[in-house]
Every structure is written in structure tokens, then in C-alpha cells.
Amino acid sequence: MESIKSFLEVVHPVLAALLATTFTWLVTALGAGMVFFFRELNRAWQDIMLGFTGGVMLAASFWSLLSPAIEYSERLYPGWSWMPAAVGFLAGSLFIFGLDKLAPHLHINFEESETEGLKTNWHRTTLLILAITIHNIPEGLAVGVLFGASASGVEGVGITSAIVLAFGIGLQNFPEGFAVAMPLRRMGISRGKSFWYGQLSAVVEPVAGVLGAAAVVYMRPILPYALAFAAGAMIYVVVEEVIPETQRDKFTDQAVLGLIVGFTVMMVLDVALG
């Protein structure tokens, strides 16, 4: 941990964000690679994994993003410290809302008739990949923004916090990659293609991470808004996508427990290490 911290402290924050989000992408690929070793993913475990993902994202949204945004705003806007967090949070939610309405996509466990976004004749596989890609944009953005914030001297946001967030996102990306690749395999797609599409869904994370870090580094006044923007985007994804996907079978209680565990793990990581 210390060697990683020392290395990332001396590189440019945009490069650090690129390296960190490349790590989260590779962990997704590692999870998708499980399709080579397993024939099937039990539905209960799939829902538990998705619940865990949602829990990590919810905890990270508050402790890693919203709380620092409010603390930083107290110095910039005395008496109005809630304002940047509220504006950024709403903007991030509306951004994903807009993508959700425009980009054709299909959530895991949903029927093809439940495709969302603009009407299209695209294959079910493409629609599934696009759904997870939308999901991964705020994750990469959150990591990038936090690395940019750590280089800006924001109180309570150091390089350790950024590393912990990247580790937490990577932790939930492993079961997520598995949960994406296995449904594709069940559709009759080869193991190789299921792996390829599973990892491809997270390739957007390094792109979003670099953009988020660059925006914060070169336009520092937007920092509290950017932190809250990433939080709003992640929470929208959890409520609109992750939770509904876990509530479409008989394993709803297990999925909720998975969410609680994910939330607790990310909270402990952030509070204890960040």
C-alpha cells in the first residue's frame, strides 16, 4: 500500500487516475474471465454480487464524494456549503438520466421487450453491454475526480482516499464482470466472446477517469460540484439499475444482504484507511 501511495504521489494526477481506472477495468476483465472456469452462475449468487456492487457504490458516494464536497464547500461558501453538493448531485443524476433515456440498452435479467432508450434493432448482446457501460461511467468518473481532488490540497481527500476508492470500485468490479459475462454465455455466446464483451463494458472507466481528473485539476473551482456530480451519477445507477436487477427473482433477501455487506466493506475501507 505504501509503495503504491508513494508512486502515485509523484506522478501527475491525470496519469494516476488513468492507472487507477485501468486497474478497475482489469479487475472487471478478471471477473469476466471466470466464464472460462464455470458453466453457470447460480441466480442467487448473481443477485448477491449485484447487491454487493450497489452497496459499495452507495457507501463510496457518501464517504468518498459527497462528504468531501461539503467539507470543501464550507471554506468557499460559508453558510451555503450544501449548495455545490446539491447542484452537483442533481446534475450527475440528470446526466445519467439523460443517457438512460437516449442510449438503447437492456439491463441484466430484463426481457428484450423491456429495452430502454431510443428504439433500435440492435442485438440483445449489444444492448446488455451498453447498459453496463452506462453503469461504469460514474465509477470511472468518481475515481478520476478523487485523484484530481487529492492533488488539489482538499482537506480530508488525500491520495490514500483515492486509492481506497479505486480499490473499492475494483473489488465490486470483479463480481460485476462475472455477472455480465455469464448471462451472455447463457445466451449461447462462446466463452471467448462472453469474456471479451464482459471486459469491454468497463473500458469506459479509464476514459471517464481521465476526463474527471483533468476537469478537476485544470478547473479547480468546479471541484465540489464534480465530487457531488460523480456521487449523483452513481446513486442514480444503483437505484435505477442495480437494485431493480436484483429484485426480479426469489432471491431478493439475499441481494439486500449483499448490498448491506458491500456498503459495510466500503465504509470500513474508507473510514479506516481513507
Side-chain angles (χ1 to χ4, degrees), residues 49-115:
M49 288 177 177
L50 288 172
F52 182 88
T53 292
V56 169
M57 293 175 72
L58 285 176
S61 295
F62 177 74
W63 273 280
S64 297
L65 300 168
L66 276 177
S67 182
I70 294 171
E71 289 182 18
Y72 185 62
S73 298
E74 287 175 353
R75 293 183 298 173
L76 299 179
Y77 309 96
W80 293 80
S81 58
W82 53 268
M83 186 267 293
V87 171
F89 187 85
L90 289 172
S93 301
L94 291 173
F95 172 69
I96 300 298
F97 172 79
L99 283 181
D100 193 63
K101 295 302 179 185
L102 293 175
H105 63 283
L106 178 65
H107 298 310
I108 299 172
N109 300 329
F110 280 50
E111 299 296 330
E112 198 157 356
S113 60
E114 298 175 280
T115 298

Side-chain angles (χ1 to χ4, degrees), residues 25-42 45 49 170-186 189-199:
W25 169 30
L26 292 176
V27 177
T28 304
L30 189 62
M34 293 298 101
V35 76
F36 292 110
F37 304 100
F38 296 91
R39 292 179 178 274
E40 186 63 68
L41 175 61
N42 181 278
W45 280 108
M49 288 177 177
L171 187 66
Q172 59 93 29
N173 273 4
F174 181 84
E176 182 180 282
F178 195 12
V180 174
M182 287 308 298
L184 297 176
R185 177 61 180 156
R186 284 201 303 269
I189 297 173
S190 69
R191 294 181 188 274
K193 286 187 177 180
S194 295
F195 163 75
W196 175 253
Y197 292 137
Q199 64 81 32

Side-chain angles (χ1 to χ4, degrees), residues 59 63 164 261-274:
W63 273 280
V164 168
V261 171
F263 187 97
T264 304
V265 168
M266 188 63 212
M267 176 182 65
V268 170
L269 286 174
D270 203 296
V271 175
L273 301 178

Side-chain angles (χ1 to χ4, degrees), residues 146-262:
L146 208 60
F147 269 97
S150 70
S152 301
V154 179
E155 186 177 350
V157 181
I159 192 70
T160 303
S161 298
I163 294 172
V164 168
L165 178 61
F167 178 77
I169 295 296
L171 187 66
Q172 59 93 29
N173 273 4
F174 181 84
E176 182 180 282
F178 195 12
V180 174
M182 287 308 298
L184 297 176
R185 177 61 180 156
R186 284 201 303 269
M187 291 165 52
I189 297 173
S190 69
R191 294 181 188 274
K193 286 187 177 180
S194 295
F195 163 75
W196 175 253
Y197 292 137
Q199 64 81 32
L200 191 64
S201 66
V203 74
V204 70
E205 289 192 5
V207 177
V210 166
L211 291 175
V216 169
V217 169
Y218 297 112
M219 295 180 285
R220 187 169 176 178
I222 73 166
L223 176 55
Y225 298 93
L227 288 167
F229 183 97
M234 286 215 293
I235 289 181
Y236 185 94
V237 166
V238 172
V239 176
E240 195 276 336
E241 176 185 340
V242 177
I243 292 178
E245 288 174 0
T246 67
Q247 303 298 303
R248 297 175 68 85
D249 210 311
K250 59 184 178 181
F251 305 109
T252 56
D253 290 343
Q254 292 92 324
V256 172
L257 291 175
L259 186 146
I260 296 299
V261 171

Side-chain angles (χ1 to χ4, degrees), residues 131-151:
I132 303 300
T133 299
I134 294 172
H135 172 141
N136 284 325
I137 289 173
E139 294 178 4
L141 187 63
V143 173
V145 166
L146 208 60
F147 269 97
S150 70

